[in-house]
């Protein structure tokens, strides 16, 4: 029930964000028309950029939901239950199946996480970084001050990945504490999501995450 509530909340927030970006596009178009009346230079987002932003949104949704999310769903809700039923068919005895499944299930989960989820997360982090940056530039009316080299961008992304990994590790570790574990874990995750919220604004303004 909590998982479904989280999924529905995420969908609601995504729709709100897309609606907000659409409103910003309308404002940018009005601002562009006003600017073109006074000067013949287009320094704000153009209709071509508007199309590319919607394309970036679609690509982000297809990649994160279609590839990343669907693979996790298929593994946890299709492959694992099928393997469990297959073991019941092969062994027949329920107690023997439970004993084998008690150590086989963690091994399969950790292997899937280490060889699929983690590498795909790292790859998606770099891919999404470029797409999110395009969306951020349009959101801030194209006023990008982050004209940096690709190597600088990769270095900043790697540093961001290290910070996010530390937050995740801390959230898991403090979650094991008695009484205050849940609150401390939620607090760490809130700080991590706050970093997600401001990271692209800082980068778009030319500010370093290290500062």
């Amino acid at each position: 029930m909590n998982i479904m509530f989280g999924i529905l909340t995420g969908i609601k927030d995504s729709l709100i964000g897309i609606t907000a970006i659409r409103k910003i596009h309308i404002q940018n178009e009005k601002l562009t028309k006003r600017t073109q009346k006074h000067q013949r230079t287009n320094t704000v987002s153009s209709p071509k950029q508007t199309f590319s932003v919607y394309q970036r949104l679609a690509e982000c949704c297809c990649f994160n939901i279609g590839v990343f999310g669907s693979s996790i769903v298929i593994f946890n809700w299709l492959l694992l239950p099928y393997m469990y039923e297959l073991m019941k068919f092969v062994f027949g005895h329920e107690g023997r199946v439970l004993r084998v499944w008690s150590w086989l299930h963690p091994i399969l989960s950790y292997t899937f996480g280490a060889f699929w989820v983690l590498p795909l997360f790292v790859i998606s982090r770099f891919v999404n970084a470029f797409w999110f940056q395009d969306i951020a530039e349009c959101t801030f009316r194209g006023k990008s001050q982050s004209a940096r080299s690709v190597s600088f961008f990769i270095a900043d992304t790697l540093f961001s990945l290290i910070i996010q990994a530390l937050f995740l590790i801390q959230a898991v570790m403090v979650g094991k504490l008695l009484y205050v574990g849940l609150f401390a874990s939620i607090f760490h995750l809130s700080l991590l999501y706050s970093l997600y919220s401001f990271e692209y604004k800082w980068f778009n303004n030319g500010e370093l995450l290290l500062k």
Side-chain angles (χ1 to χ4, degrees):
M1 187 64 182
N2 292 331
I3 296 177
M4 184 58 63
F5 177 76
I7 293 175
L8 294 177
T9 304
I11 294 175
K12 182 199 70 174
D13 294 338
S14 300
L15 294 176
I16 292 175
I18 293 174
T19 304
I21 291 177
R22 182 177 181 276
K23 292 180 180 179
I24 291 174
H25 281 314
I26 295 175
Q27 295 176 359
N28 288 344
E29 291 177 356
K30 293 180 179 179
L31 185 61
T32 302
K33 293 179 180 179
R34 293 176 184 176
T35 305
Q36 289 176 345
K37 290 181 180 180
H38 298 283
Q39 53 184 5
R40 296 182 178 180
T41 57
N42 186 9
T43 58
V44 194
S45 60
S46 62
K48 184 178 180 180
Q49 184 182 11
T50 300
F51 173 78
S52 66
V53 170
Y54 285 111
Q55 180 181 352
R56 291 291 182 265
L57 287 173
E59 290 171 348
C60 289
C61 293
C62 292
F63 181 76
N64 291 283
I65 298 176
V67 179
F68 201 10
S70 61
S71 64
I72 297 176
V73 171
I74 291 173
F75 177 79
N76 288 282
W77 280 277
L78 185 62
L79 183 60
L80 289 181
Y82 177 78
M83 292 185 63
Y84 183 78
E85 294 297 328
L86 181 62
M87 289 177 59
K88 287 173 61 177
F89 176 77
V90 173
F91 291 101
H93 192 269
E94 184 74 19
R96 184 181 302 174
V97 173
L98 290 176
R99 285 195 299 269
V100 175
W101 191 251
S102 63
W103 58 265
L104 182 60
H105 181 269
I107 292 177
L108 293 175
S109 298
Y110 290 138
T111 303
F112 176 74
F115 292 98
W116 177 257
V117 176
L118 184 59
L120 188 60
F121 172 76
V122 175
I123 294 174
S124 66
R125 185 64 179 81
F126 282 99
V127 174
N128 288 331
F130 290 99
W131 292 343
F132 291 166
Q133 187 59 37
D134 292 339
I135 297 173
E137 289 180 2
C138 179
T139 304
F140 295 106
R141 300 173 186 263
K143 297 178 180 178
S144 176
Q145 302 177 13
S146 57
R148 304 172 179 176
S149 62
V150 177
S151 60
F152 191 92
F153 177 80
I154 294 176
D156 190 71
T157 303
L158 287 175
F159 182 75
S160 176
L161 276 174
I162 295 174
I163 296 297
Q164 294 169 19
L166 290 176
F167 270 109
L168 287 174
I169 293 173
Q170 290 177 358
V172 173
M173 293 179 63
V174 299
K176 305 297 182 180
L177 298 176
L178 293 176
Y179 306 114
V180 296
L182 179 61
F183 174 77
S185 178
I186 293 176
F187 177 74
H188 278 79
L189 291 177
S190 299
L191 293 177
L192 177 60
Y193 295 150
S194 299
L195 174 62
Y196 291 155
S197 301
F198 291 99
E199 181 179 8
Y200 294 100
K201 182 179 186 300
W202 294 337
F203 191 89
N204 195 73
N205 291 337
E207 300 176 1
L208 293 175
L209 180 61
L210 182 60
K211 296 181 179 180

